[in-house]
Amino acid sequence: MNIAIYGYGNLGRGVECAIRQNPDMALVGVFTRRDPATVTTLFETPVYAAADILNYKDQIDVLIICGGSATDLPNMTPTLAEHFNVIDSYDTHATIPAHFANTDKAATAGGHVALISCGWDPGMFSLNRLYASAILPEGKDYTFWGRGVSQGHSDAIRRIPGVIDARQYTVPIEESLEAVRSGSMPTLTTRQKHLRECYVVVADGADKTAIEQQIKTMPNYFADYDTTVTFITQEELNRDHGGIPHGGFVIRTGTTGVDNAHTHTIEYSLKLDSNPEFTASVLVAYARAVCRLAKRGTVGCKTVFDIAPADLSPLSPDELRATML
Amino acid sequence: MNIAIYGYGNLGRGVECAIRQNPDMALVGVFTRRDPATVTTLFETPVYAAADILNYKDQIDVLIICGGSATDLPNMTPTLAEHFNVIDSYDTHATIPAHFANTDKAATAGGHVALISCGWDPGMFSLNRLYASAILPEGKDYTFWGRGVSQGHSDAIRRIPGVIDARQYTVPIEESLEAVRSGSMPTLTTRQKHLRECYVVVADGADKTAIEQQIKTMPNYFADYDTTVTFITQEELNRDHGGIPHGGFVIRTGTTGVDNAHTHTIEYSLKLDSNPEFTASVLVAYARAVCRLAKRGTVGCKTVFDIAPADLSPLSPDELRATML
């Protein structure tokens, strides 16, 4: 299986690492919109100009698109799906249907397979919501995120005048997790589900009280949450908050039996040292499935919901049944 | 979707309940090897003689076979798969490949779909082993069971002379769960993974010391475990140990990135008030998928590994993408 990476940030580097863990895959190269001469890859993977990618059509079985959801993927994925089998990690939940429709049209026209919104949420969390709700129709599910770094919330703090750098952690509230696990199916407000912890570096002489107030009252980002603000030095931020951990929980409880007398709890959780590297690992496993679908003549846009689990594994169906079932 | 139940014990009753939670399904009837006149169903579902089932071929889309793995299913499933789309919960892991081959041959000959070994282990736990190992190829996974009632171990205690009744709980050892979650990938012995708790009712005048010794030294069942034996009255057993709870954990940890510097933990867990009712709920969700596969002309034997998640849900692909992805 010949894989290529389109876009080389944290996610692209994660894909480069993940491919090395899968002996049935080879990495053709990295395609970048920057000047290829300025890009150094982790493992001497060749770097090519994004503009030249159509010259490599015959060498690439699946193209893993590692762009951002806000501005890159909505155009990139449909455009590339006309020429390649592609996979992306588009994660703006509200606009997935539109992204699906655009990508499906392009992939179908080009005779290719596209898989969108693959990662952990959307991705593995979505799968667990689907499986659990199909098994326990009379129930309720909850998704909690964290403890982990939210890039969007960190950026929002950085835009405040006087702030030099910031890191924001989303933290699930333990008492709410326990209430959910108990099967009581509580109604939880935004504030009851997550805390927001902010570590902020400010310029000399900045008004810390005003900045703290600005953060805590910021609409959408912080106003609906209990938020803590801790001022630290750039040195401390680099030393203690340099990683990109994340994770979370999908929990569904439901009832079965005569008079719904029995309660069941299904819980799926992730604890990730590196958000982009884990997302990259999911993308690479699903790239295997995309390659297999394309070989069977499938065309159009798919999501993780459409992929049979066996297609993710390098093992044969016989091996899977003998060792994992 | 017209569903029928073949075999009416705890699992069959669980299926009868679960069907009522799925408005797109109708229950045709229960087929039993007993005299139908002696069987009373929970919700006035009609009862028919198993011997007459071929007369109902045209009325049944999927037959859910609720027999035991030891003696019933190895013959029942292949025999019935020649005439019906079927699903079973065959759970003898070591002989799944043979059961698959026999069922595949019969289902293919009859032009039907069969899905075997569906439930939670094998079933949902198997899926989680597969997904996690495909995502984190450089890692290790662990399955823990419990706290829950093991029917086989309870039966083994009941066979000891002087024992009137018994209930055995399999209990995962918390320290080992924590060691696994930490990412240290420990090597665990049988004794380190699970405890066995036994609640035993004995006849008047029975030699409790000898019975306790016999339990604790029983090969395969107890000798390799730390086992506790508590003698109680039949009344206490009925009052405190009447349920059939179970559950467990599938945990995989693995590493990614340059020098495998980052560790990730994927954990799936179940906490079930009723083992047979939850298994029944999984069977019913997968019966929906079997029905869809049959309508598409698929034939032969499948497992949960072969089923795209979307096929379990009553929601359309559009609805799934808009609400769960």
Side-chain angles (χ1 to χ4, degrees):
Chain A
M1 249 169 278
N2 295 308
I3 312 287
I5 296 169
Y6 192 94
Y8 194 68
N10 284 332
L11 186 59
R13 276 187 289 271
V15 170
E16 188 185 11
C17 292
I19 300 268
R20 295 166 59 89
Q21 296 189 340
N22 290 278
D24 58 342
M25 296 184 181
L27 185 53
V28 174
V30 162
F31 291 83
T32 179
R33 289 173 293 177
R34 291 175 273 169
D35 173 0
T38 66
V39 175
T40 307
T41 53
L42 294 170
F43 298 103
E44 299 180 359
T45 303
V47 182
Y48 305 109
D52 296 337
I53 195 165
L54 291 184
N55 301 336
Y56 297 83
K57 271 191 78 154
D58 299 339
Q59 296 172 45
I60 298 170
D61 294 318
V62 183
L63 183 62
I64 303 183
I65 308 178
C66 300
S69 295
T71 55
D72 295 340
L73 297 177
N75 296 310
M76 250 180 212
T77 303
T79 304
L80 291 164
E82 216 176 312
H83 305 285
F84 297 92
N85 302 311
V86 300
I87 178 167
D88 80 15
S89 60
Y90 186 77
D91 67 0
T92 310
H93 292 262
T95 46
I96 284 174
H99 187 56
F100 181 89
N102 295 337
T103 304
D104 189 50
K105 196 173 159 193
T108 304
H112 291 287
V113 181
L115 195 144
I116 62 159
S117 299
C118 181
W120 60 274
D121 195 3
M124 300 313 297
F125 275 18
S126 322
L127 280 181
N128 277 280
R129 288 187 284 260
L130 193 168
Y131 277 120
S133 66
I135 294 169
L136 296 175
E138 299 190 2
K140 193 169 171 182
D141 58 56
Y142 299 81
T143 301
F144 292 85
W145 295 274
R147 188 173 191 266
V149 172
S150 165
Q151 214 56 58
H153 288 78
S154 301
D155 290 344
I157 300 171
R158 276 190 218 101
R159 284 192 293 266
I160 296 172
V163 172
I164 292 173
D165 204 349
R167 197 74 84 252
Q168 194 273 176
Y169 295 91
T170 305
V171 185
I173 295 176
E174 191 58 43
E175 298 78 51
S176 299
L177 278 169
E178 283 307 319
V180 166
R181 288 180 183 125
S182 76
S184 68
M185 301 189 203
T187 301
L188 297 171
T189 63
T190 298
R191 193 177 299 276
Q192 285 174 309
K193 288 187 72 186
H194 298 95
L195 296 174
R196 298 206 174 274
E197 281 179 19
C198 311
Y199 295 88
V200 184
V201 182
V202 293
D204 281 348
D207 182 344
K208 288 181 180 174
T209 310
I211 287 172
E212 180 168 344
Q213 191 59 15
Q214 257 186 287
I215 294 172
K216 289 185 171 177
T217 56
M218 199 184 294
N220 303 318
Y221 285 92
F222 295 101
D224 298 334
Y225 299 86
D226 287 339
T227 300
T228 63
V229 176
T230 307
F231 293 100
I232 59 176
T233 64
Q234 183 75 55
E235 207 167 45
E236 287 169 328
L237 187 136
N238 296 347
R239 186 192 66 203
D240 302 334
H241 305 282
I244 319 176
H246 221 311
F249 304 81
V250 175
I251 306 174
R252 186 177 181 89
T253 66
T255 54
T256 64
V258 179
D259 301 328
N260 284 352
H262 294 130
T263 300
H264 309 281
T265 304
I266 304 173
E267 177 166 343
Y268 180 79
S269 68
L270 295 173
K271 193 163 168 289
L272 312 175
D273 272 1
S274 165
N275 184 354
E277 286 178 9
F278 187 82
T279 301
S281 294
V282 178
L283 283 169
V284 167
Y286 274 94
R288 180 179 289 115
V290 167
C291 192
R292 289 179 180 169
L293 264 66
K295 281 202 181 126
R296 288 178 208 140
T298 306
V299 299
C301 190
K302 306 288 167 188
T303 75
V304 293
F305 295 159
D306 305 307
I307 306 299
D311 276 333
L312 302 186
S313 175
L315 301 182
S316 72
D318 278 346
E319 290 170 320
L320 286 175
R321 285 189 295 269
T323 62
M324 285 199 199
L325 196 58
Chain B
M1 250 169 278
N2 294 309
I3 311 287
I5 296 170
Y6 192 93
Y8 194 68
N10 284 334
L11 186 60
R13 276 188 288 272
V15 170
E16 189 184 10
C17 293
I19 300 266
R20 295 165 60 88
Q21 297 189 340
N22 290 277
D24 57 342
M25 297 185 180
L27 185 53
V28 174
V30 163
F31 290 85
T32 178
R33 288 173 294 178
R34 290 175 273 167
D35 175 0
T38 67
V39 174
T40 307
T41 53
L42 294 171
F43 298 103
E44 299 180 0
T45 303
V47 183
Y48 305 110
D52 296 336
I53 195 165
L54 291 184
N55 301 337
Y56 297 83
K57 272 191 74 154
D58 298 339
Q59 296 171 43
I60 299 168
D61 293 319
V62 182
L63 183 62
I64 303 183
I65 309 177
C66 299
S69 295
T71 55
D72 296 338
L73 297 177
N75 297 310
M76 250 180 212
T77 304
T79 304
L80 290 165
E82 217 176 312
H83 306 285
F84 298 92
N85 301 310
V86 301
I87 177 167
D88 79 15
S89 61
Y90 186 78
D91 66 0
T92 312
H93 292 262
T95 46
I96 284 173
H99 187 56
F100 181 90
N102 295 337
T103 304
D104 189 50
K105 197 174 159 192
T108 304
H112 290 287
V113 181
L115 194 143
I116 62 159
S117 299
C118 182
W120 59 274
D121 195 1
M124 299 313 296
F125 274 18
S126 322
L127 280 181
N128 277 280
R129 288 186 284 261
L130 193 167
Y131 277 120
S133 66
I135 294 169
L136 296 175
E138 299 190 2
K140 192 168 173 183
D141 59 55
Y142 299 80
T143 302
F144 291 85
W145 296 274
R147 188 176 191 260
V149 172
S150 165
Q151 214 55 59
H153 288 78
S154 301
D155 290 344
I157 299 171
R158 279 190 216 101
R159 285 192 294 266
I160 296 173
V163 171
I164 292 174
D165 204 349
R167 199 72 85 252
Q168 193 273 173
Y169 294 91
T170 306
V171 184
I173 296 177
E174 192 57 43
E175 298 79 51
S176 298
L177 278 169
E178 283 308 318
V180 166
R181 288 180 183 126
S182 76
S184 68
M185 300 188 202
T187 302
L188 297 171
T189 63
T190 298
R191 192 177 300 274
Q192 286 174 309
K193 288 187 72 186
H194 298 94
L195 296 174
R196 297 207 175 274
E197 282 179 19
C198 311
Y199 296 88
V200 184
V201 182
V202 293
D204 281 348
D207 181 345
K208 288 182 180 174
T209 310
I211 287 172
E212 180 167 344
Q213 191 59 16
Q214 257 185 287
I215 295 171
K216 289 185 170 176
T217 57
M218 199 183 294
N220 302 319
Y221 285 91
F222 295 102
D224 298 334
Y225 298 85
D226 287 339
T227 301
T228 64
V229 177
T230 306
F231 293 100
I232 60 176
T233 65
Q234 183 74 55
E235 207 167 45
E236 287 169 328
L237 187 136
N238 296 347
R239 187 192 64 204
D240 302 334
H241 305 282
I244 319 176
H246 220 312
F249 304 80
V250 175
I251 306 173
R252 185 175 182 90
T253 65
T255 54
T256 65
V258 179
D259 301 327
N260 285 351
H262 295 130
T263 299
H264 309 281
T265 304
I266 304 173
E267 176 165 344
Y268 180 80
S269 69
L270 296 173
K271 193 163 167 291
L272 312 175
D273 272 1
S274 165
N275 184 352
E277 286 178 9
F278 187 81
T279 301
S281 294
V282 179
L283 283 169
V284 167
Y286 274 94
R288 180 178 289 116
V290 167
C291 191
R292 290 178 179 170
L293 264 65
K295 282 204 179 120
R296 287 179 209 139
T298 306
V299 298
C301 191
K302 306 287 167 189
T303 74
V304 294
F305 294 159
D306 305 308
I307 307 298
D311 276 332
L312 302 186
S313 175
L315 301 182
S316 72
D318 276 347
E319 289 170 321
L320 287 175
R321 285 189 295 268
T323 62
M324 287 199 197
L325 195 59

